[in-house]
Amino acid sequence: EIVSWLKKDWNTTIVRAAMGVEDPGGYIENKNGNKNRIKIIVEAAISEGIYVIIDWHSHHAEDYENEAIEFFQEMATLYGETDHVIYELYNEPLDISWSNTIKPYALAVTAAIREIDPDNLIVVGTPEWSQRIDLAASDPIVEYQNIAYTLHFYTIYHHQWLRDRASSALQSGIPIFVTEWGSIGYSLVDPETNKWMDWCFANKVIHCNWAVNDKEEEWSIVIPGASTTGGWDDNDLTEAGKLAKNIISNWPKVVH
């Protein structure tokens, strides 16, 4: 119901299904229960004709390479023949080596996916919470096609310096995918969000706002207790939600 509502009311063209991995209650503790939750979102997106990112939402994915391979093999087998599915192999690596840790992990998981699904987009996280896009640009994956690299930003922390880094990476020839971004959250006035949206629009970079949550968090789009089946009005939306809806609903017109 939520996926349907986001498409209908927000003009959403993509959703991201974030599979928590090592945290309490995540995939490692409850594989089948969490896989079933992921399948609901993926199948809803396919039914609605929008894209869906299957996100291995971890800060330590290299420690769970075998589990990631098993998971993505199943997802590729189930959904690899559809055009809607995007595989995100590593949400946010910490301050670890791109070339020695993240890239080898990504190659191993990509190889497993490509044996089943030869062409759907794969997105690979980058060091320092997916901000060091420059490190991936200097040593990209060349063994496989249709690979993009993750950039995350939160407007209270990440300003022109990160846009400059990302622009340089784009100029080197690698594709960038913003699988997660967040606004200041407590105000509809967020000049950095405007700058980031202008940058995404100018560079044709797709972006997904964090997050479809109702918990007490600055970036949740709905207030605690909002309907879990959609049908929200403005009173159900947080300030972050109002801002995100305005941007998403009116895209590609950049909203100020």
Side-chain angles (χ1 to χ4, degrees):
E1 292 89 346
I2 291 290
V3 172
S4 178
W5 176 254
L6 287 170
K7 179 186 176 183
K8 174 184 175 182
D9 191 60
W10 288 47
N11 198 31
T12 295
T13 56
I14 185 168
V15 292
R16 181 180 186 233
M19 168 64 81
V21 178
E22 69 269 6
D23 291 324
Y27 180 82
I28 301 304
E29 284 188 6
N30 183 3
K31 290 185 179 182
N32 289 332
N34 282 305
K35 277 194 293 189
N36 288 337
R37 295 182 177 102
I38 284 282
K39 290 173 184 177
I40 290 170
I41 303 303
V42 173
E43 290 166 14
I46 293 170
S47 176
E48 292 291 340
I50 65 175
Y51 289 102
V52 58
I53 302 172
I54 301 176
D55 163 36
W56 191 248
H57 200 81
S58 173
H59 294 303
H60 305 279
E62 70 277 5
D63 295 335
Y64 303 98
E65 182 177 303
N66 291 335
E67 290 85 352
I69 287 172
E70 176 188 56
F71 172 74
F72 281 111
Q73 284 176 325
E74 181 174 349
M75 295 298 107
T77 300
L78 287 171
Y79 307 117
E81 292 185 358
T82 74
D83 294 331
H84 306 78
V85 169
I86 298 165
Y87 309 100
E88 184 175 3
L89 308 189
Y90 198 152
N91 166 49
E92 283 185 346
L94 303 183
D95 187 7
I96 59 176
S97 171
W98 163 259
S99 296
N100 297 326
T101 304
I102 302 169
K103 187 179 178 184
Y105 159 84
L107 284 169
V109 181
T110 297
I113 293 172
R114 286 292 183 246
E115 288 180 358
I116 303 164
D117 180 348
D119 51 14
N120 276 21
L121 181 63
I122 292 173
V123 186
V124 182
T126 57
E128 295 181 26
W129 297 272
S130 287
Q131 295 166 46
R132 294 303 305 271
I133 197 76
D134 54 317
L135 298 177
S138 66
D139 182 20
I141 292 170
V142 297
E143 292 86 350
Y144 299 95
Q145 299 297 309
N146 213 21
I147 306 293
Y149 302 87
T150 308
L151 176 69
H152 287 177
F153 63 84
Y154 282 79
T155 62
I156 194 169
Y157 305 118
H158 305 124
H159 304 145
Q160 189 60 46
W161 60 270
L162 187 54
R163 289 190 289 275
D164 290 343
R165 179 186 291 171
S167 294
S168 179
L170 283 173
Q171 290 167 9
S172 78
I174 69 164
I176 289 177
F177 198 129
V178 175
T179 61
E180 181 178 320
W181 72 270
S183 64
I184 289 176
Y186 297 123
S187 173
L188 278 170
V189 180
D190 186 353
E192 280 299 324
T193 289
N194 292 335
K195 293 175 183 177
W196 272 111
M197 294 300 100
D198 286 340
W199 182 88
C200 287
F201 181 77
N203 290 286
K204 297 181 173 62
V205 172
I206 195 168
H207 58 89
C208 295
N209 179 257
W210 183 268
V212 183
N213 270 331
D214 70 345
K215 68 178 181 178
E216 293 274 7
E217 183 179 79
E218 184 176 355
W219 304 289
S220 296
I221 64 169
V222 291
I223 62 173
S227 168
T228 57
T229 57
W232 308 314
D233 61 28
D234 279 355
N235 292 327
D236 296 311
L237 303 180
T238 63
E239 296 302 289
K242 292 172 186 175
L243 181 60
K245 182 183 178 183
N246 193 21
I247 292 166
I248 294 165
S249 298
N250 292 288
W251 198 268
K253 179 182 177 183
V254 182
V255 178
H256 291 278

